[in-house]
Amino acid sequence: QDLFILNLGGGTLEWAATASEPWILLSSEGGSGQSTLSIGVDQSGLDTGHYTGTITLANLSERSAAGRHQAAAEREVATIDVSLNVLAPKDFGHFVFLPLVLK
């Protein structure tokens, strides 16, 4: 899944991304300006079941002159909920499915 990061304000957006769970894969942990963050899953070691986590995006850009007196703890942060369902493998019995090739 791709997440598009845009800056609708002035200046250049500096951002950081973190995932709360090791199975959530991010194409980058940060960037500058307009970006695309790809989100994936590391399925190794995951059993059948429901998994949840979050992706946190933080604005690391310098504040405007009017806002520089505010505490750094007030940085803009967005949290995205992530949900994953791992299904049990299907049992196809003793059948083997081959691709059909016509000549």
Side-chain angles (χ1 to χ4, degrees), residues 2-3 5-6 12 19 22 26-27 36-37 41 46 49 51 56 64 67-68 70 80 82-85 91:
D2 287 338
L3 176 68
I5 300 171
L6 304 171
T12 301
L26 303 176
S27 62
T36 301
L37 178 65
V41 172
L46 295 181
Y51 296 85
T56 302
S64 65
R68 287 189 181 154
Q70 296 174 345
I80 301 166
V82 178
S83 179
L84 173 68
N85 287 314
D91 181 13

Side-chain angles (χ1 to χ4, degrees), residues 51-74:
Y51 296 85
T52 60
T54 59
I55 297 168
T56 302
L57 294 168
N59 177 356
L60 303 178
S61 301
E62 290 293 324
R63 293 191 176 271
S64 65
R68 287 189 181 154
H69 301 292
Q70 296 174 345
E74 294 180 28

Side-chain angles (χ1 to χ4, degrees), residues 76-96:
E76 293 174 303
V77 174
T79 303
I80 301 166
D81 293 327
V82 178
S83 179
L84 173 68
N85 287 314
V86 177
L87 304 176
K90 297 227 180 229
D91 181 13
F92 291 107
H94 299 291
F95 298 99
V96 175

Side-chain angles (χ1 to χ4, degrees), residues 10-11 14 17-18 20 53 55 72-73 82:
E14 302 288 334
T18 55
S20 66
I55 297 168
V82 178

Side-chain angles (χ1 to χ4, degrees), residues 99-103:
L100 176 63
V101 178
L102 297 175
K103 290 187 179 187

